[in-house]
Each structure stands twice: as C-alpha cells, then as structure tokens.
Amino acid sequence: MTKPSLSRRSLLAGAATSAVGAGLSVAAGASAASKPPAARADARAGNYLTVADGTVIHYKDWGSGQPVVFSHGWPLQGDAWEDQMFFLASHGYRVIAHDRRGHGLSSQPWNGNDMDHYADDLAALINHLDLKNAVLVGHSTGGGEVAHYLGRHGSKRVAKAVLVGAVPPQMVKSPTNPNGLPIEVFDGIRKSVVDDRAQFFMDLSMPFYGFNRPNAKVSQGMRDTFWAQGMQCGIKNAYDCVKQFSETDFTADLKKIDIPVLVVHGSDDQIVPIDASGRASAKLLKKATLLVYEGAPHGLPATHKHRLNDDLLAFIKA
C-alpha cells in the first residue's frame, strides 16, 4: 500500500487479519515520515499546519461556537477524542483535535519529540486558528501538553482547562517526587516499544481500559482501536515520548496556571495512578475542581464517555 491517507476504518479492518494489519501499519508509518501535506491530498477530512521546524501537524476542526481544543494521550491521536468532539459539536461548540507530532497523520520528525515542542505546536495551532476564549482538554500525556502550554505561553487565549487522567505533576519517582513510579517501569515501556510494539500496544490496552479487572466487560473494538491508533505513531516518536510523559516535572507549570481547571481522574487508573497525579495536581493549581470517577480506568474518555461528556459540558457552561 502506497497511499498515505490510511483511514482508521482501514486500520481496524486490517486488525482483523494480523498480516494485513501489520503491512498497513508499516505503510502508514513510512508515509507519515515523507512529504505531507502534498502527498496526502486525498487524506480523510482534515487540515494541516506546518510549524517552525518544518513538522506538519494534522488537525480536525468541527462545528462552530466557543472553541474546545483536545490534546490526546500516548500513543494515540486526535481521534481518541471523537466521542467528546461529536458530543460537544452537537451542543454548539467548535471542537479541534490535532495529532501530536509523530502521531496519527502528523509527520514523524526524528528530533523535537519533547514537551517544549509539543506545547509550541499547540500554541502554533491556537495562533493559526486565532482562537480566543478557548477551553483546553488534555488526557494523559495531553494533560502534560496542556499544562506546559499554559505555563510556557500563558492563558491569554484560554478561558478554562481540563486535565483527564493527566500525567502532571510528574510520573517518575525522584527525591522530590517519592510517590512516583520507578524509572524501571518506563525503561520497560521503552524496551517493549523497541522489541515488539505491536504486541505491547495490544497488551497495554487491557489495563488502559481496566479490562483486566474481574468481571470487566471487554470491548475488543476499543482494544483494536487503541492498537490501530498506536501503530500509526512513529516508533522513534513513541520511544522519545516516554521520557517526556514520565520525567517532565510540570510543577512550575501548574503553579502558574491562573484559570479554572477541572481535574478528572479514575480511582482505578493503572497507568497514571491518581494519588501522584490527579490529586497532587489539584493541590498545586490555584483554581482546581477535582472529580474522582470511582473505579474508572485510565481510558475513561471511552469507558465513561457519557459521564465525561456531561461533566465537560457543565464545566464549560459554568
């Protein structure tokens, strides 16, 4: 396959036949590193923005009204927010979600896979679209991206923010962060990405959605979607991003944020444990509201989408 315009539907179909799925993933990864956006003239509906270092960022922009901008988690893409985007666009909001550099349909640069560039790419998108009074929503790594954007670029264009299962203040254990996870956990993730990321992403989908818990109702569709999106992420970009979401200390960013922030976290988050993240962030933020979803997993935007949709709408309207 030579077309770089690989749709998620194509990937999901490919996931049903592993050999075909693997071939599609390789084709997608190779094309994303080549000549966007001209080579993707037939890509699915979307827009492209070329940022300062030449990286091309793909984004979706639906609806009209107050803008709500979504930042996704690792190793996913903007489509991870489709449930929230469809809901809010249907309720009179303009919804925007980009694929982080190296992820989804954005290009895959060898360098620049760091939190400063992530935040600057988000700033470039917001400035390009001339957004005002925006609401920023970030899940997992995307929550770090949102926090770092606000700490680095300020809140002039932003009215509110939402952190969902987000990685701040810091994930890795250190002398200043004794409740974090050992570095060996993240070394293991990097090794798994290099050794067999296709199997690793499929395995990771179980705890991500809490499907490994007793009596959990497993959705193979969610697992396949996670895998399909993950395989569109460049391997170098996925590898580099692990350091960014685990080792970046967002404490200073959180303390700078002067707008209302809704912090949503699942009490059974096995990927980003709530005590060292959601609860700790809420204590550092000036205007935080903490919502704990009892028993919810890390992937709650999918497993608890109706509750999250309602909570987002209420927070934005308040």
Side-chain angles (χ1 to χ4, degrees), residues 250-272:
F250 299 96
T251 301
D253 294 321
L254 294 172
K255 289 181 176 179
K256 289 179 183 177
I257 297 174
D258 56 359
I259 56 175
V261 180
L262 176 65
V263 179
V264 179
H265 219 105
S267 67
D268 193 32
D269 190 325
Q270 301 171 67
I271 309 300
V272 183

Side-chain angles (χ1 to χ4, degrees), residues 181-198:
L181 298 171
I183 189 65
E184 289 77 14
V185 171
F186 306 105
D187 290 340
I189 293 174
R190 278 184 281 263
K191 184 176 186 301
S192 296
V193 167
V194 172
D195 288 351
D196 186 352
R197 70 186 181 118

Side-chain angles (χ1 to χ4, degrees), residues 31 51 55 116 181 199 235:
S31 63
V51 298
T55 298
D116 285 351
L181 298 171
Q199 187 60 53
I235 187 170

Side-chain angles (χ1 to χ4, degrees), residues 6 27 34 37 54 63 82 110 123 151 154 159 177 190 206 231-232 294 315:
L6 196 57
S34 57
E82 63 182 11
W110 183 260
N177 186 38
R190 278 184 281 263
M206 288 295 284
M231 291 306 294
Q232 284 191 283
E294 291 298 333
F315 177 68

Side-chain angles (χ1 to χ4, degrees), residues 261-265 274 278-279 282 288-292:
V261 180
L262 176 65
V263 179
V264 179
H265 219 105
I274 186 172
R279 289 194 174 109
T289 300
L290 175 63
L291 287 183
V292 178

Side-chain angles (χ1 to χ4, degrees), residues 18-131:
S18 59
V20 177
L24 291 172
S25 302
V26 170
S31 63
S34 57
K35 296 180 179 178
R40 295 175 179 162
D42 61 339
R44 63 182 179 177
N47 303 282
Y48 295 91
L49 168 68
T50 301
V51 298
D53 69 353
T55 298
V56 177
I57 302 298
H58 171 264
Y59 65 95
K60 297 191 298 184
D61 185 352
W62 299 344
S64 60
Q66 183 181 5
V68 185
V69 184
F70 294 88
S71 293
H72 63 80
W74 178 92
L76 305 177
Q77 60 193 67
D79 284 350
W81 285 112
E82 63 182 11
D83 292 317
Q84 287 68 46
M85 294 180 71
F86 180 83
F87 176 83
L88 290 175
S90 300
H91 282 77
Y93 292 89
R94 180 183 180 185
V95 294
I96 300 152
H98 67 293
D99 298 342
R100 184 173 301 111
R101 59 171 55 213
H103 298 64
L105 293 179
S106 293
S107 58
Q108 299 178 3
W110 183 260
N111 297 313
N113 304 299
D114 56 71
M115 198 57 66
D116 285 351
H117 279 87
Y118 299 160
D120 291 351
D121 291 347
L122 178 57
L125 178 62
I126 291 172
N127 293 340
H128 172 71
L129 297 176
D130 194 24
L131 303 182

